[in-house]
Amino acid sequence: MAKKKEKPVNISGKPKHSLDVNRESNGSKGGRSAATVRRLKMYNTRPKRDSKGKILKHELQSQELPSTRIQPDRRWFGNTRVVNQKELEFFREELQNRLSSNYNVILKERKLPMSLLNDHQKQARVHLLDTEPFEDAFGPKKKRKRPKLMASDYESLVRKADDSQDAFELKCGASTSADGIEADGFRELVRHTMFEKGQSKRIWGELYKVIDSSDVVVQVLDARDPQGTRCYHLEKHLKEHCKHKHMILLLNKCDLVPAWATKGWLRILSKEYPALAFHASINKSFGKGSLLSVLRQFARLKSDKQAISVGFVGYPNVGKSSVINTLRTKNVCKVAPIPGETKVWQYITLTKRIFLIDCPGVVYQNDDSETDIVLKGVVRVTNLHDAAEHIGEVLKRVKKEHLERAYRIKEWQDDNDFLLQLCKLTGKLLKGGEPDLMTAAKMVLHDWQRGKIPFFVPPPQEEDGSLEESHEPGEEDANLVDGGKESAARRAIADVMSSQQLKDVPVQEDLFSENELQGKTTEQFPCTEV
């Protein structure tokens, strides 16, 4: 009996099979190349068919086909959720009451039928059934009525147009003529373009980008003049069109104001929105922990989102970028003591769940004069062509003793005399010993914008017990919201606001006297027009 031949064993470990892509191919031996092997393998993936073309086997075909039969159910042919008209009206009233308070939050808003709860503006105007019954308007016995015209003939139409024109001129023309034309009939000169900084379409486009991308909007205010640097137009826009976004008022530069004034403004502002005091500094900051706590609570309220975005908006030179650097404890945003340093918006990562958005400074439409615009820090002092004309308002707003301490000038007659004495003391002279009034005026305005000259607008007087009143809405709303996380977040925000009122606010004591720090002075600081 013949012995069987044993198959040779591949000891070398190199691939020998003809359908192995990694096998060495030598042209002399006639081996298959890697491309030929892949092409041959591709043929095996084609489906195998019979003589009639029916697929017998296919590797990519599922062996278990799903059942495509739809279960019969009457819910496919009707409304799945039906609400009674009375229940809908009751729910709309309750929702409107909750939305009227700034301390309430709508949870899971995407799951609510907001189109049913809010009337569209065009639909709200149409109340046809209030004027005529249904049978006359839509029923089978409907009547075609004569259209209601503004006038019966041409003369009455012309008379009505004249009356509406006169009413419009009385309403809008008087204010326009009073602003633009003086008593002698001459119109005021057109403002220089530098006084329109922060009002361009590009800047407003950046602002609305930040608002659209943010879940929480932090409006940074200057603690020296909170109402003057506040944007009521933005607050109205958020209430009408962005009800799901939250707003926080942040009083920055609180170290330039006495502690009693800061706490007074916090009591007033917290009645409308959550308000916090802040001092931006990487090493010695104030209010950083409180702001982080409030942002974390808002992140808990937005638990359906993976992360929340916090946008910082406000006037130029109020310290938006400095606040972000303080929160990060790192210089991530470019800052400078001059307005207009931030040109475009930028994203900064604070934590895995909180992102910060820096926004350029925006100037809102108001009736401020050129001097008010300069003193609010909108314009760079180095670009002013005649800085001396704004010094008179500085001398009116700042107390005399503060100017004596800052510049060692005891008596002066007017703003020109003050600048002359300042030029002599500082040596700011031109050729021939002429005083350089322009440089001296710019020095004073630089000191004003950088907080070296003490000034602040005192809060309006309030009755005792206003502190408890300001936080009552937050405590009530904490009980209104169902659920452990949401109610805990509401209470935490109210506790943070109340605890900051009890803390000692840092103040540069060398700027004020003892009586001013304690609020005992009878002479109040001059107030700016809001």
Side-chain angles (χ1 to χ4, degrees):
M1 198 173 165
K3 292 184 179 180
K4 291 183 179 180
K5 271 190 176 183
E6 294 182 0
K7 293 183 179 180
V9 181
N10 186 6
I11 304 175
S12 62
K14 296 180 181 180
K16 295 287 186 180
H17 197 274
S18 60
L19 288 179
D20 198 332
V21 181
N22 299 321
R23 181 187 176 196
E24 293 182 0
S25 61
N26 298 325
S28 59
K29 296 181 181 181
R32 294 171 178 171
S33 63
T36 305
V37 172
R38 293 192 191 97
R39 180 167 50 83
L40 293 174
K41 285 186 175 181
M42 181 184 67
Y43 296 152
N44 294 330
T45 60
R46 292 182 178 180
K48 295 181 180 180
R49 302 174 183 268
D50 57 4
S51 59
K52 295 182 180 180
K54 185 178 179 180
I55 297 177
L56 299 176
K57 184 180 180 183
H58 191 196
E59 292 183 0
L60 303 179
Q61 187 177 7
S62 176
Q63 300 296 331
E64 297 179 1
L65 293 176
S67 176
T68 56
R69 181 177 179 273
I70 300 176
Q71 181 182 2
D73 198 334
R74 61 182 300 177
R75 286 180 296 179
W76 291 112
F77 307 99
N79 293 330
T80 56
R81 296 181 183 180
V82 181
V83 62
N84 192 7
Q85 185 66 26
K86 292 184 179 180
E87 296 177 356
L88 182 62
E89 290 293 334
F90 176 74
F91 188 79
R92 291 173 71 171
E93 292 176 1
E94 289 294 323
L95 182 68
Q96 192 63 31
N97 294 335
R98 295 292 183 270
L99 289 177
S100 60
S101 175
N102 294 316
Y103 287 86
N104 276 329
V105 181
I106 301 179
L107 301 175
K108 300 180 180 178
E109 186 177 2
R110 296 178 181 176
K111 296 185 178 181
L112 291 177
M114 300 303 294
S115 59
L116 294 176
L117 303 177
N118 296 329
D119 284 333
H120 197 268
Q121 292 183 357
K122 293 183 179 179
Q123 296 174 357
R125 297 175 190 167
V126 180
H127 295 285
L128 187 59
L129 296 180
D130 296 344
T131 58
E132 47 189 337
F134 179 84
E135 292 79 7
D136 295 345
F138 302 105
K141 299 180 180 180
K142 62 182 178 181
K143 302 175 182 178
R144 183 175 180 182
K145 293 194 174 182
R146 191 174 181 181
K148 297 179 181 180
L149 301 177
M150 297 174 59
S152 58
D153 54 356
Y154 180 74
E155 294 179 357
S156 59
L157 183 64
V158 173
R159 198 181 310 114
K160 189 173 183 64
D162 293 338
D163 294 341
S164 62
Q165 178 68 21
D166 296 339
F168 176 78
E169 289 179 355
L170 288 175
K171 182 180 178 181
C172 303
S175 61
T176 308
S177 60
D179 294 339
I181 303 176
E182 297 182 357
D184 53 359
F186 291 97
R187 187 178 294 273
E188 292 182 356
L189 291 174
V190 180
R191 278 185 179 178
H192 195 277
T193 54
M194 77 172 70
F195 295 103
E196 297 178 359
K197 295 294 184 182
Q199 301 180 17
S200 63
K201 289 184 179 179
R202 187 190 70 81
I203 294 293
W204 278 94
E206 297 290 326
L207 172 67
Y208 282 108
K209 283 181 194 174
V210 173
I211 293 175
D212 294 341
S213 305
S214 303
D215 301 302
V216 180
V217 179
V218 178
Q219 188 177 178
V220 184
L221 308 177
D222 194 335
R224 295 173 292 181
D225 187 8
Q227 299 289 11
T229 55
R230 190 173 171 185
C231 179
Y232 295 97
H233 168 76
L234 176 61
E235 297 174 9
K236 183 180 178 182
H237 172 76
L238 291 180
K239 283 184 179 180
E240 292 180 356
H241 305 289
C242 308
K243 296 179 181 179
H244 58 284
K245 298 182 186 294
H246 313 291
M247 175 170 280
I248 303 173
L249 300 180
L250 194 68
L251 284 179
N252 194 23
K253 303 182 182 180
C254 64
D255 58 317
L256 303 178
V257 178
W260 60 269
T262 303
K263 294 182 178 179
W265 280 116
L266 286 179
R267 284 194 294 269
I268 294 171
L269 297 176
S270 60
K271 293 180 180 179
E272 304 177 37
Y273 294 99
L276 296 172
F278 200 87
H279 167 48
S281 175
I282 294 180
N283 298 324
K284 298 180 180 179
S285 62
F286 174 78
K288 177 181 176 181
S290 302
L291 181 58
L292 288 175
S293 300
V294 172
L295 295 182
R296 288 193 190 99
Q297 300 307 324
F298 278 122
R300 291 179 64 186
L301 287 176
K302 300 282 186 180
S303 58
D304 56 331
K305 290 191 174 184
Q306 187 175 2
I308 66 167
S309 299
V310 183
F312 289 81
V313 300
Y315 248 76
N317 205 27
V318 294
K320 300 179 290 297
S321 302
S322 301
V323 172
I324 294 177
N325 290 343
T326 304
L327 294 178
R328 280 294 311 271
T329 322
K330 184 181 179 183
N331 288 324
V332 292
C333 296
K334 192 176 181 182
V335 294
I338 53 177
E341 188 65 24
T342 304
K343 307 294 183 186
V344 294
W345 69 319
Q346 53 181 334
Y347 254 92
I348 294 97
T349 304
L350 182 62
T351 63
K352 290 183 179 180
R353 290 213 59 197
I354 302 175
F355 292 92
L356 310 178
I357 309 176
D358 192 11
C359 179
V362 180
V363 180
Y364 322 113
Q365 295 291 339
N366 47 33
D367 299 330
D368 289 345
S369 62
E370 293 184 359
T371 303
D372 293 334
I373 293 173
V374 172
L375 297 185
K376 283 184 180 180
V378 177
V379 182
R380 295 192 181 188
V381 176
T382 54
N383 296 337
L384 292 174
H385 298 300
D386 191 4
E389 64 180 14
H390 307 296
I391 301 301
E393 187 66 24
V394 175
L395 300 182
K396 289 180 184 177
R397 296 189 183 186
V398 183
K399 287 186 176 181
K400 190 175 181 180
E401 54 265 25
H402 296 314
L403 293 172
E404 291 179 5
R405 184 172 58 206
Y407 300 109
R408 299 177 184 177
I409 300 175
K410 295 184 178 181
E411 295 292 337
W412 60 87
Q413 297 178 358
D414 54 1
D415 53 345
N416 194 25
D417 183 28
F418 178 82
L419 291 177
L420 285 174
Q421 297 185 41
L422 183 61
C423 289
K424 292 179 182 178
L425 286 174
T426 56
K428 303 297 180 183
L429 303 174
L430 300 173
K431 265 188 179 180
E434 290 290 331
D436 191 358
L437 300 180
M438 178 68 70
T439 304
K442 289 183 178 180
M443 284 175 53
V444 176
L445 293 178
H446 270 299
D447 293 342
W448 169 275
Q449 289 187 355
R450 300 182 184 190
K452 295 181 180 179
I453 302 177
F455 160 78
F456 68 95
V457 177
Q461 297 293 331
E462 284 188 319
E463 298 179 359
D464 295 337
S466 59
L467 177 62
E468 290 79 13
E469 295 176 2
S470 63
H471 294 293
E472 284 180 1
E475 296 172 0
E476 292 176 1
D477 295 332
N479 299 325
L480 292 173
V481 181
D482 296 331
K485 291 184 179 180
E486 290 80 6
S487 59
R490 293 243 146 259
R491 294 193 198 95
I493 293 174
D495 292 342
V496 169
M497 293 169 57
S498 58
S499 64
Q500 197 183 44
Q501 292 273 0
L502 305 175
K503 293 181 180 179
D504 294 333
V505 182
V507 183
Q508 297 184 16
E509 297 181 357
D510 55 338
L511 294 178
F512 304 98
S513 62
E514 289 294 333
N515 292 332
E516 290 170 351
L517 290 175
Q518 299 175 5
K520 297 179 180 179
T521 177
T522 56
E523 181 185 357
Q524 294 290 336
F525 280 76
C527 295
T528 57
E529 296 181 0
V530 179

